[in-house]
Amino acid sequence: PGKIVFATSDADDAGTPTVRMTIDDGGYVGIGTTSPSAKLEVAGVLGINSNGGDVVSGAAIPLTTHASAFVTGGSGETSTLAAGTEGQVKVLVMKTDGGGDMVVTVTNAGWKSSGTGTITFDSIGESTTLQYIDSKWYVIGRMNATLA
């Protein structure tokens, strides 16, 4: 019981094998991580929970992945993005629109003098690319998402 681990070693079969993929006892699959925290987690890329996106309404956006996708239901959904680390880049994208918006409250929003801002995603494909510079998230790319 527990876990299935896939590991590889170099061509000479020398050295300790490196874990490449893990399936844990909860059915979570991790590629490039030994402790997946979502139904599918590809280290540094994207985590996907059972709803098809890695961000569940009411939950914080993970800072450990480069990109996060949203799958909305029929009503408005919310999430939060906490302070990042210097130079960090984070991509947010609306993957599936189930009839509702995703409103992300951003701590340390560089576009707001108050320090807290929001990004609203209401259509498939809307996206925002953020970078954490001087203790603030700045928008470095945006496709139709609304900033407030």
Side-chain angles (χ1 to χ4, degrees):
K3 183 188 283 191
I4 299 172
V5 176
F6 296 88
T8 61
S9 58
D10 63 22
D12 298 333
D13 208 23
T16 304
T18 301
V19 174
R20 304 296 183 187
M21 186 171 83
T22 303
I23 303 173
D24 74 8
D25 62 343
Y28 286 15
V29 176
I31 299 174
T33 178
T34 58
S35 301
S37 60
K39 288 292 181 187
L40 173 61
E41 182 176 337
V42 180
V45 180
L46 179 66
I48 301 175
N49 284 326
S50 58
N51 70 346
D54 77 328
V55 179
V56 176
S57 183
I61 293 172
L63 293 171
T64 56
T65 59
H66 175 69
S68 296
F70 313 119
V71 175
T72 62
S75 62
E77 299 188 9
T78 62
S79 188
T80 57
L81 180 62
T85 57
E86 186 67 21
Q88 181 177 7
V89 174
K90 186 70 184 177
V91 177
L92 307 175
V93 64
M94 174 82 98
K95 180 179 175 185
T96 303
D97 181 2
D101 295 349
M102 172 58 87
V103 179
V104 178
T105 300
V106 180
T107 300
N108 300 344
W111 64 93
K112 295 293 282 188
S113 60
S114 66
T116 301
T118 61
I119 307 171
T120 302
F121 302 85
D122 65 9
S123 298
I124 294 172
E126 289 187 353
S127 63
T128 303
T129 303
L130 304 165
Q131 186 166 19
Y132 202 74
I133 304 168
D134 293 330
S135 301
K136 294 186 179 192
W137 285 111
Y138 288 95
V139 177
I140 60 173
R142 181 170 60 102
M143 175 64 101
N144 297 329
T146 303
L147 302 175

